Amino acid sequence: MAVVDVEPLLEGRVSASRRSSARPRLVLVLAVGVAILLALPLIFLLLEAHSVGLAGQDGLGRLVFRHLTAQLLWNTVRLVVVVTAASAVIGTLAAWCVERTDIPGRRYWAVLVVLPVGIPDFVVSFGWVAVAPAVRGFLGAVLIMTLATYPLVYLPVAAALRSSDPAQEEVARSLGVGRVATFLRVTLGQVRLAVLGGAVLVALALLAEYGAFEILGYRTFTTEIFTEFGIGDTAVACALSLILVVLGFVVLAVEFVGRGRGRVVRTGALAARPPVRWRLGRSTLPTLAAMVLLVGLALGVPVGSIVYLLLRHGNDTLPQASILSAALHTAGYSAAAGVLATALALPVALLSVRWEGRIYQLLERSTYLVMAVPGLVIALALTFFVEHYLGGTGYESAALLVLAYAMLFFPLALVAVRTSLAQAPVALEDIGRSLGCSRLAVLGRVTLPLVAPGLAAAFSLVFLSALTELTATLVLIPSGVETLSTQFWAYQTDFAYGQAAPYAALMIAIAAVPSFVLGRWFDRLPARRGVRA
Amino acid sequence: MNSLSLRGVEKSFGAQWVLRGIDLEVRTGSLTAILGPSGSGKTTLLRIVAGFERAGAGTITLGGRLADGPGVYVPSEQRRIGYVPQEGSLFPHMSVAKNIAFGLGRHKGRSARVGELLELVGLSGLEARYPHELSGGQQQRVALARALAVDPGVVLLDEPFSALDANLRASLRADVHSVLRQSGATVVLVTHDQDEALSMADRVAVISEGAIRQYDTPQRLYQHPVDQRLASFLGEANLVEATIEGGMATTAFGRLAVDVEPGGTGRCVVLVRPEQIVLHEHPGADELSGRVLDYQFYGHDAVVRIAPDGPCGATTIIARQPGSVVFEPGTRVGLSAAGEVRAWAGEAPSEAEPAAQ
C-alpha cells in the first residue's frame, strides 16, 4: 500500500504549519518589494565599484589584494570567530539559567541580562576606556564586543526555551540520560536554531560595527572604510566594502549549512505547561556569582564609569537645553524605524514560514545580507539614490534616516517576527476561516494576537538598536538636528568626556525603560496564556 | 434533500494520488462517518469539503450550492461549515466564551447564544477560562460549541476523540452524539476507529487508498460487506469455504442460510462473524472440532481462537462467547454456527490476509 506511507506526511505538513496549495500572491509581491529595497545598498556598491574599477588607474584587484587588506582581514576574521563563539556560549547559558533554573530573582535577571543590548557598543567601549585605558586592541575588542552582543543570542534562546516542550526533557531523563547530557542532547537541540540565528546576528553585527573599534583603536574593515570615505577615496572604500559583503556571505553560508533540514516542531496539545525548573541547590551561589559578574561587566562597568564621569565633571555637565531636543529626535526616529522594520519583516517572514519553497527561503535569506553592509554604506546608498533619481528631494530628511534605520535593523525584526509566526499554527487560521472570517479578519483576530509578542519584540529590538545607531546617523542626520549619538560622538572625538557623559547616560536610560517593560511583559505572558505566541 | 454532495472528487499532491473519484451524498440531519486507515485520504477529503484545500477534479455541493468545481471555488468562510479538528485547536489567546463567540457577529443575542451553547455541551460556568485551563475533553467540547455557534450547514469532525484516553473517549462520544442530535446538524465524522463509526453514524463510508469501498448503514456494512477485504477490515471475520445450493451454504459448521445467493454454483466463500459461532465443551462425532489456542476475557464477553481439526478454509477460527464460560488453551471444543451468512463466489484467500490495520 504505497499510499499509506506517504500521505500522513503530506497531511501532517499541510495541517501542522504550512499551506501547500493557494499561491501567496500578495505576500509574494510584498516580500519581493522588501527584498529589492534591501538590496539597493548592494546594487549601489556594485555600480560604484564598477565605475571606479573602470575609471581609476588602479584596478579593483590591486586595491583588494594589498598588504593592508590582509591585515584588516586577519583583524576582522579572528575577532568575529572569537566573539561569536563567546557570545553564543554566554547567551545560551544565561538564557538557560534564567528560564530553566530556580535562580533567585529570575524576573530581575531576565531584565538585567537583556539590558546591555540597549547600550550602544561605542558607549560600552567609551565607559571601559574612560576607567581602564588599558582595554584596547584585540583582547579589549573581544571583551567589549562579547559583553555588548551576547544578548543577541540570549533573546532568541530564552524565547525558544519558554516555548519548547518540557516533556522532551522528561522523556530523556526517563531514558536514563543524566541532567547534563539531557541539556546537551535535548535542550540544546530544541534551541539549536535560536542559538544559530543569534550567533549569525552577532557575527554580522561585528562585521558592521564602527564606533567601538574606533574608540578601542582596533582597525577593521569598517573603521578603514569610514576613514577612506572621510578623505573622499570612494574607490578604496568600495573595494573594502565588497570584501566585507563577501565575509557576510560566508557567515550566511555557515548558517545555511548549520541550519540543515531540522525544524523544531511542537507536537501534542496546544495547552502548554510551564517547564520544571532545575533546582540549583548548592550551585545557587556560584551561579548567582556568575550572573553578577556577567551583569557587572556588561552593565555595571560602563554605567558606573559614566556615572563616575557625571559626578566628577558635575560642573561642566549641566544639562544643555539641546539634550532634550536631541533625545526627542532620537526617540521619534527610532520608534518610526521600529514600526517600519516590523511592517517590512511581516511579508518576508510569512512567506518563509508558511510556504514551502527554496525560492522563498532564498528570498528571506537575501534580506539578511543587509546586516553585512555597514550602516555607512546604506546611508550613502540612500543618498546616492535620492540624488540620482529624486533630484535631491528628501536628502537629509527624517524619512530617509528612518528608512536607513529600518533597512539596517530589518534582520532583527525578521528574526523575531518569523520565530513567532512559526508558532501560530495554520490550523487556527483554518478554523477562523471556517467560522466565517475573511483572510484579513483572521489575520487581525487570530494571527496577529498570537504573534503580537513577536511583533513587540521586533519593534523593541529595532527601537533599541536605532537609539544607539551612530554611523548612518552621522551621514543622514537632517541639518541643524542632533541626535544623542551624534552629539555624544562630537564630544567624545574631542575627548570632552565630561560633556559626552550625560548623552551616554541618557541613551542608556532611554534604552533601559522599554527593556525593563518588555522583560516583565514576556515574563508574565506564558503564565496567563499557556501558549507563547 | 442532501446537505453535502461530492461527485468524482480527485486530489493529488505532486505525483501522489490521495483521492480518486470520490462520490458521496450526505442527507440533511444525518451523521455520516468516513472510516479508513491512516493514509487513506480521509482527512484530505474533509479539508477539501472545508475549503482548506481545492479539489483537483470533481464537484462539491454544499446545501444545494456548488462550492468547488470547474471555475468555482467558494472560500471556507463562505461555506457555512463547522470544523472540529483533532486537537480542538482552540484559540489560545481567547477565553472559552470568546472562542465560542468567534464566528458570531456583534449582535445582541451573542452572549445569550454563548451561554446556550455552553449549556448544550455541559460546560456552563467556564466562560472565563482559557484553553490551557481546560482538560482535553473540555477543550473538545468547546471546539464543538464553537463550530455549532455559527449554525453550520455541515459540521466536520476530524478524528475529534483520538487524542483522548479510552474512558473519556467513550463518554464524550456519547455526549457529542446527543449534542449533535439535539442541534439537528448535518455531520461528517472522519475516523479510523470502527467502534466510533459504527456506534455514532447513520451511514458509514469506508475509504481506502483514496476510494470509497462501501457506503451503507453500519448494520449492512457489518453484515453484508461488499467484498472479503472489507469483511476483514470491519470487525473480525471468519472466511470459510462453502458450497451453495438452494439458498443454503454447506460449510464445515453445517448448513447455513445465505443472504444473497452469489452467481454460479460450486465453491464459495462465506463470512461467519465470531458471535455467530457457538462452542461446545464436548464435540459431537459429526461436528467440526478444534483445539483452543487462546482465550481473551473482556468482561462482557470473551474471544476464543481455535485451530480447527478438519479443513474448513481457515487456519484459525475466531469465536466470541459470553464471558461466563472459560475455555482453557489446549481444550478440545466442538464448533457450530447459527444465523444468516454473507457469501461470495470463488476461492477464499490462501491465508486469512489481515486487511489494513
Side-chain angles (χ1 to χ4, degrees), chain A residues 359-376:
Chain A
I359 305 269
Y360 303 154
Q361 288 195 7
L362 270 179
L363 192 73
E364 188 217 358
R365 201 58 39 82
S366 77
T367 59
Y368 281 109
L369 278 178
V370 79
M371 199 75 174
V373 183
L376 180 62

Side-chain angles (χ1 to χ4, degrees), chain A residues 267-334:
Chain A
T267 53
L270 272 172
R273 61 211 153 79
V276 177
R277 296 187 190 283
W278 185 339
R279 290 177 180 281
L280 285 171
R282 286 184 186 181
S283 315
T284 304
L285 274 182
T287 309
L288 272 178
M291 295 295 276
V292 168
L293 182 69
L294 177 65
V295 172
L297 293 179
L299 199 61
V301 171
V303 170
S305 161
I306 286 155
V307 169
Y308 166 76
L309 285 173
L310 281 176
L311 296 176
R312 188 167 150 214
H313 300 274
N315 293 334
D316 328 340
T317 59
L318 288 174
Q320 302 90 333
S322 65
I323 199 169
L324 183 66
S325 95
L328 286 176
H329 281 115
T330 307
Y333 296 151
S334 304

